[in-house]
Amino acid sequence: MRRKRIWAAGITSCMSILLFCTCAEQDMSAPDRLYVGVACYNQGDTFLSEMLDIFSEQVQEMGSHGTETAVAVRDAVGSQRTQNDQVKELINAGCNVLCVNLVDRADPSEIIDLARENDVPIIFFNREPVAEDMMQWDKLYYVGADAQQSGVMQGELAVDVIRADSRVDRNNDGKIQYVVLEGEAGHQDAIIRTETAVDTLRSNGIQLEKLSYGIANWNRAQAQNRMLQMISEHQNNIELVLANNDDMALGAMDAYEKLNYTESARPVFLGIDGTDVGLQAVEDSEMAGTVYNDKEGQAEAMAELAAALVSGEGMEKINFQNGKYIYLPYSKVTRENIDMFTNRGK
Ligand code: BGC
Ligand code: CA
């Protein structure tokens, strides 16, 4: 009874390491115990913090079906070295599966070696290791989404807005003057989203003129700063802001707010993710649209895979691509269909 209560308390996103040590003393090979160690590149990231809350709930639910479960989340705050230490600590504390959101997606070798030495499978998520690294061991998996699809959808949303409202081309020159706010330089989602969004606009016959771009590392405050610089350079000439994620689109909107631009002098903003704040901005018609990054689907896929890896049951039901990848589809979100997304997971 007492142990049960301890476990109930342990099923939180920041379970203390002390508690994890208690489980290490138990039989780790028992398939009815699911102890998940999560390593996150930066928990200040809006999308990931929402996704991990859902993931912890999903694993907790599995606990109510007769499996003993616990989730411990560690935040690397942007340091790969810290994350390597945290993974070591999680393995020593007795977790039997790891979910790793790499800080540097090109540098997973130390973590893979640690996991292999201890025979603890890894599900990488959101920050995709390169293909060669995924081949280093047969117990490596990836859960995420197809960056290209999100870029195409963002481009299509922009095409729809431009075609529906001739006022988007404010200076009436037949071209759309645009800027891009990009995520981290080496991230698979940053480069690909930008390229495919712009290509989609062009292939739909929209004439474009790129005024500028800024790297804002997925971050709202950095995006506000970049946007302030771009406005000071291009004043009223910016007609479209393509942001690689919602937080950066919101940062761009913050910049216009700060400068007291009237609504008619503001550009069209488009994001990607459908975070709570992002959806709110679409609902309020401040952001023209976003592309839903299915955090519920990714969390559920990760929880199911973690359970299957530990129990050895249910692997055959999982729909892998190339044997070890799970990609959840994106969806377009506008004010018209927003209800489908605001009620998701509730
Ligand atoms: C999301 C971003 C997030 C990044 C973190 C992307 O897929 O769209 O919002 O900051 O992942 O790795
Ligand atoms: Ca124009």
Side-chain angles (χ1 to χ4, degrees):
M1 188 60 204
R2 201 170 152 258
R3 178 173 294 172
K4 251 201 177 133
R5 229 178 297 129
I6 290 175
W7 276 108
I11 307 162
T12 66
S13 56
C14 49
M15 195 184 69
S16 81
I17 192 66
L18 220 65
L19 197 53
F20 231 68
C21 292
T22 324
C23 63
E25 288 155 20
Q26 300 166 9
D27 178 8
M28 286 315 304
S29 59
D32 57 347
R33 300 203 177 109
L34 176 61
Y35 302 143
V36 190
V38 180
C40 181
Y41 94 102
N42 189 343
Q43 267 183 285
D45 184 289
T46 309
F47 172 75
L48 283 164
S49 75
E50 289 182 8
M51 187 207 164
L52 288 178
D53 283 350
I54 299 163
F55 175 71
S56 295
E57 272 169 37
Q58 302 262 6
V59 175
Q60 184 169 7
E61 230 163 71
M62 289 175 166
S64 61
H65 300 124
T67 311
E68 258 186 25
T69 63
V71 180
V73 182
R74 295 291 174 265
D75 182 359
V77 205
S79 157
Q80 188 58 60
R81 190 179 290 193
T82 303
Q83 185 168 69
N84 297 348
D85 292 344
Q86 288 172 335
V87 166
K88 194 182 286 176
E89 176 216 341
L90 287 165
I91 291 174
N92 289 341
C95 62
N96 50 8
V97 58
L98 288 165
C99 294
V100 178
N101 175 236
L102 287 164
V103 176
D104 180 352
R105 71 185 191 94
D107 188 16
S109 292
E110 193 169 327
I111 287 177
I112 294 174
D113 289 347
L114 281 166
R116 189 173 28 207
E117 278 158 24
N118 293 278
D119 198 29
V120 180
I122 305 181
I123 305 168
F124 291 105
F125 65 100
N126 170 264
R127 301 162 74 88
E128 186 174 339
V130 294
E132 298 88 85
D133 284 329
M134 288 295 287
M135 306 295 283
Q136 282 196 45
W137 187 33
D138 61 355
K139 292 189 182 170
L140 305 178
Y141 298 86
Y142 180 72
V143 173
D146 171 18
Q148 187 157 343
Q149 186 187 32
S150 57
V152 169
M153 288 184 173
Q154 188 182 56
E156 288 172 353
L157 285 169
V159 171
D160 290 347
V161 179
I162 293 162
R163 285 198 182 136
D165 187 352
S166 58
R167 288 169 306 176
V168 174
D169 178 13
R170 253 184 292 110
N171 65 353
N172 240 324
D173 66 348
K175 283 188 252 170
I176 300 299
Q177 278 72 26
Y178 76 101
V179 302
V180 184
L181 284 164
E182 295 191 354
E184 289 161 275
H187 196 297
Q188 81 277 348
D189 289 340
I191 320 147
I192 298 177
R193 283 177 181 170
T194 304
E195 275 176 15
T196 47
V198 171
D199 287 352
T200 303
L201 276 152
R202 285 197 210 285
S203 63
N204 277 277
I206 307 286
Q207 301 294 314
L208 293 174
E209 184 185 349
K210 182 174 182 172
L211 294 183
S212 188
Y213 77 100
I215 294 177
N217 299 309
W218 310 116
N219 180 280
R220 183 168 177 163
Q222 287 185 38
Q224 177 180 332
N225 284 335
R226 295 282 98 78
M227 196 70 229
L228 286 170
Q229 287 163 3
M230 294 194 279
I231 299 171
S232 78
E233 214 172 305
H234 299 285
Q235 289 88 35
N236 280 348
N237 295 330
I238 303 166
E239 296 171 340
L240 171 67
V241 177
L242 296 172
N244 283 170
N245 77 346
D246 283 356
D247 261 17
M248 294 190 293
L250 288 156
M253 285 151 52
D254 294 340
Y256 281 91
E257 193 64 35
K258 196 167 176 181
L259 297 173
N260 281 322
Y261 268 61
T262 58
E263 210 163 301
S264 60
R266 292 184 194 202
V268 169
F269 302 95
L270 286 167
I272 292 178
D273 274 344
T275 56
D276 293 345
V277 270
L279 291 178
Q280 189 61 52
V282 174
E283 193 152 20
D284 297 342
S285 300
E286 286 166 2
M287 186 155 78
T290 187
V291 178
Y292 200 76
N293 195 354
D294 185 4
K295 52 186 179 292
E296 288 79 13
Q298 291 166 33
E300 197 174 337
M302 203 154 83
E304 270 175 15
L305 177 55
L309 286 167
V310 170
S311 67
E313 282 167 26
M315 284 298 276
E316 69 290 344
K317 285 191 228 141
I318 298 176
N319 200 2
F320 291 110
Q321 291 181 33
N322 292 330
K324 43 174 72 191
Y325 293 85
I326 302 175
Y327 294 110
L328 276 292
Y330 285 98
S331 323
K332 288 186 241 180
V333 188
T334 61
R335 201 145 186 263
E336 278 68 58
N337 69 351
I338 192 142
D339 289 350
M340 280 168 57
F341 299 92
T342 42
N343 297 322
R344 203 118 158 202
K346 293 199 178 118

